[in-house]
Amino acid sequence: MENYSRRSRILITGGAGFLGSHLCERLLNDGHDIICLDNFFTGTKDNIAHLLDHPHFELMRHDVTFPLYVEVDEIYNLACPASPIHYQFDPVQTTKTSVHGAINMLGLAKRTRAKIFQASTSEVYGDPEVHPQPESYWGKVNPIGPRSCYDEGKRCAETLFFDYRRQHGLNIKVARIFNTYGPRMHPNDGRVVSNFIVQALRHEPITLYGDGTQTRSFCYVDDLIEGFVRLMNADDGFTGPVNLGNPGEFTMIELAERVKGLTGSRSELIHKPLPTDDPKQRQPDTTLARAQLEWEPAVKLEEGLQPTIVYFERLLKAR
């Protein structure tokens, strides 16, 4: 007999995206009923094609900027383009996705009394003056720059989540996601890992912006999804925000050289001007995640790059 007592009805917005598809897979394997919601602006059916025949998986085409009426126990709100190329394509819609999307999902959570998770971002810290970044740091964000639609949209979403908790007693969870990579990344999203791998596999010049000494911290997708689940299952009194990311810090030059080595690429490194408001440093302080969730990333950069490279090799061959 199936164990209905532990099965939850879970809505995942942005469920056909890079992170959302991995989360759908994980929660299905954990025995839950999944509603995968996506408008397919950056998500793709290819990411969840292997799940479509699963008896406890449902795909719904919907935009979170419009209200939704379903019955659920938990909501993971991941819907929002996350790479500069995609979120700057229609910046007003990006802000609407973060803000109206949060309002609509919080309204749904209020009606159904569902637990709700917000996928926030390390971009709430802006170009930080504190390094590494703890959750207590309020950030240094340009409110009127080309990245503001994403940065300020996510900051406003956090505000809404905590106001809904204070005003309506909602059970909320807020994670601040640092750079994540792995299979199912969009090949044209402009993010550094996918850019470097695709350029290396094609033996094209690898593009560094600025002098290449700016740093990022890269978390493999499986580690991040484990953090999501632990946060959602944590004591109701722990809301976050909590940093989820790998504290290992690498310069862009170091990343490029590692990708070249793993792919055997003949690519040369070239330099272009640094984009406006591009952060110089990014490294999570994960003290809170270790203490509250007993979580820390297990996959080292080289270990995670290998399956990511294999994914892009297959993708490029298929195309």
Side-chain angles (χ1 to χ4, degrees), residues 215-228:
T215 66
R216 295 292 185 272
S217 304
F218 302 104
C219 185
Y220 189 62
V221 61
D222 290 356
D223 282 335
L224 186 77
I225 297 304
E226 176 66 25
F228 282 10

Side-chain angles (χ1 to χ4, degrees), residues 168-225:
H168 301 296
L170 254 61
N171 187 354
I172 67 165
K173 306 289 183 179
V174 178
R176 291 177 177 164
I177 302 167
F178 283 68
N179 292 65
T180 308
Y181 69 99
R184 300 184 204 145
M185 292 184 80
H186 197 294
N188 300 318
D189 68 2
R191 297 196 219 190
V192 64
V193 173
S194 51
N195 267 6
F196 285 6
I197 291 175
V198 170
Q199 289 171 339
L201 290 172
R202 290 174 170 165
H203 302 287
E204 297 172 350
I206 293 177
T207 308
L208 296 168
Y209 293 94
D211 61 7
T213 60
Q214 65 269 40
T215 66
R216 295 292 185 272
S217 304
F218 302 104
C219 185
Y220 189 62
V221 61
D222 290 356
D223 282 335
L224 186 77
I225 297 304

Side-chain angles (χ1 to χ4, degrees), residues 18-240:
F18 164 46
L19 297 181
S21 63
H22 284 275
L23 182 60
C24 286
E25 198 171 62
R26 165 65 188 269
L27 293 175
L28 276 175
N29 289 337
D30 286 351
H32 301 296
D33 285 318
I34 304 301
I35 301 174
C36 168
L37 183 144
D38 211 294
N39 69 349
F40 299 107
F41 174 56
T42 57
T44 169
K45 286 184 181 177
D46 290 341
N47 287 340
I48 44 88
H50 61 297
L51 305 177
L52 291 174
D53 292 332
H54 196 291
H56 299 293
F57 180 81
E58 179 181 352
L59 176 61
M60 181 182 296
R61 182 187 288 269
H62 184 83
D63 189 319
V64 292
T65 61
F66 296 94
L68 179 70
Y69 302 97
V70 292
E71 303 304 316
V72 291
D73 303 305
E74 295 181 359
I75 302 166
Y76 284 84
N77 186 35
L78 275 59
C80 190
S83 73
I85 285 177
H86 291 144
Y87 68 62
Q88 291 174 11
F89 175 77
D90 188 345
V92 172
Q93 184 63 25
T94 296
T95 303
K96 284 182 176 180
T97 300
S98 285
V99 178
H100 292 185
I103 290 169
N104 287 330
M105 291 305 108
L106 286 162
L108 175 61
K110 179 186 171 188
R111 182 181 70 78
T112 61
R113 303 312 298 173
K115 189 188 305 186
I116 182 166
F117 173 105
Q118 168 65 7
S120 190
T121 172
S122 61
E123 298 302 322
V124 300
Y125 299 124
D127 190 3
E129 296 167 310
V130 174
H131 191 74
Q133 293 81 56
E135 291 85 355
S136 58
Y137 176 54
W138 289 357
K140 180 192 174 189
V141 175
N142 177 0
I144 58 169
R147 300 170 66 101
S148 307
C149 58
Y150 183 70
D151 302 0
E152 295 288 32
K154 288 290 192 177
R155 286 164 69 94
C156 185
E158 286 196 15
T159 301
L160 286 162
F161 266 68
F162 280 90
D163 281 338
Y164 263 79
R165 178 173 177 81
R166 284 185 284 261
Q167 191 168 338
H168 301 296
L170 254 61
N171 187 354
I172 67 165
K173 306 289 183 179
V174 178
R176 291 177 177 164
I177 302 167
F178 283 68
N179 292 65
T180 308
Y181 69 99
R184 300 184 204 145
M185 292 184 80
H186 197 294
N188 300 318
D189 68 2
R191 297 196 219 190
V192 64
V193 173
S194 51
N195 267 6
F196 285 6
I197 291 175
V198 170
Q199 289 171 339
L201 290 172
R202 290 174 170 165
H203 302 287
E204 297 172 350
I206 293 177
T207 308
L208 296 168
Y209 293 94
D211 61 7
T213 60
Q214 65 269 40
T215 66
R216 295 292 185 272
S217 304
F218 302 104
C219 185
Y220 189 62
V221 61
D222 290 356
D223 282 335
L224 186 77
I225 297 304
E226 176 66 25
F228 282 10
V229 174
R230 289 195 186 202
L231 175 57
M232 194 60 129
N233 293 335
D235 182 88
D236 292 351
F238 181 65
T239 61

